[in-house]
């Protein structure tokens, strides 16, 4: 970006040098700020993943009599950041993706609805650790976690088998 100021010709040379120095200083500060948190705050990063198994249920007695449930497998994958705090406390946050669903049968188990749902997940936990000795020279810890978990429903799809196969998409 070129700034034209009403300066004498000799001052334009000083202006260019000053702008170059300002850019160098800004770049050096930005670079140091990028690495500064790693020296000021200890933290751990990681990933977690695993299977999810969902077994659908109904609260209404009439629905329980009409529909049957089957296991619907899914998965969960997330990245997490863990920050140790004082007095055996720590904070953990994670962001991930999950696939869940449900599989129900009806009409005397001759029809089946298999639905798959996709979610963006986020959670935050405040953790308190307590010492636990599992045996001589086997120190360990147990934890109590408190915090919210939020799932945002991204999309879904399914298939109904009822005398034929019918695919559908969940529309928001």
């Amino acid at each position: 970006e070129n700034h034209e100021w009403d300066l004498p010709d000799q001052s334009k040379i000083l202006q260019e040098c000053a702008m170059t120095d300002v850019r160098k200083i800004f770049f050096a500060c930005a670079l140091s700020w990028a690495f500064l948190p790693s020296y000021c705050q200890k933290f751990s990063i990681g990933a977690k993943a695993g299977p999810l198994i969902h077994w659908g249920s109904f609260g209404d007695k009439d629905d329980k009599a009409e529909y049957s449930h089957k296991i619907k497998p899914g998965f969960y994958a997330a990245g997490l950041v863990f920050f140790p705090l004082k007095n055996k406390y720590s904070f953990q946050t994670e962001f991930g993706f999950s696939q869940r669903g449900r599989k129900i049968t009806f009409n005397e188990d001759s029809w089946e609805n298999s639905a798959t749902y996709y979610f963006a997940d986020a959670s935050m936990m405040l953790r308190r650790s307590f010492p636990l000795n599992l045996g001589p020279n086997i120190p360990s810890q147990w934890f109590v976690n408190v915090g919210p978990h939020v799932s945002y429903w991204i999309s879904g799809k399914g298939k109904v088998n009822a005398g034929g196969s019918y695919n559908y998409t969940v529309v928001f």
Side-chain angles (χ1 to χ4, degrees), residues 40-42 82-92 125-130 141 144:
C40 296
Q41 175 71 47
K42 293 180 181 181
F82 179 84
F83 296 96
L85 303 172
K86 294 181 180 180
N87 300 325
K88 299 184 182 180
Y89 283 94
S90 58
F91 176 77
Q92 180 176 320
M125 293 186 289
L126 181 62
R127 173 182 280 183
R128 171 73 158 97
S129 63
F130 299 92
Q141 294 181 0
V144 174

Side-chain angles (χ1 to χ4, degrees), residues 1-5 12 15-16 19 23:
E1 204 172 293
N2 189 4
H3 295 284
E4 293 293 329
W5 293 325
K12 287 190 180 193
Q15 176 191 1
E16 289 178 16
M19 290 303 285
R23 287 184 190 128

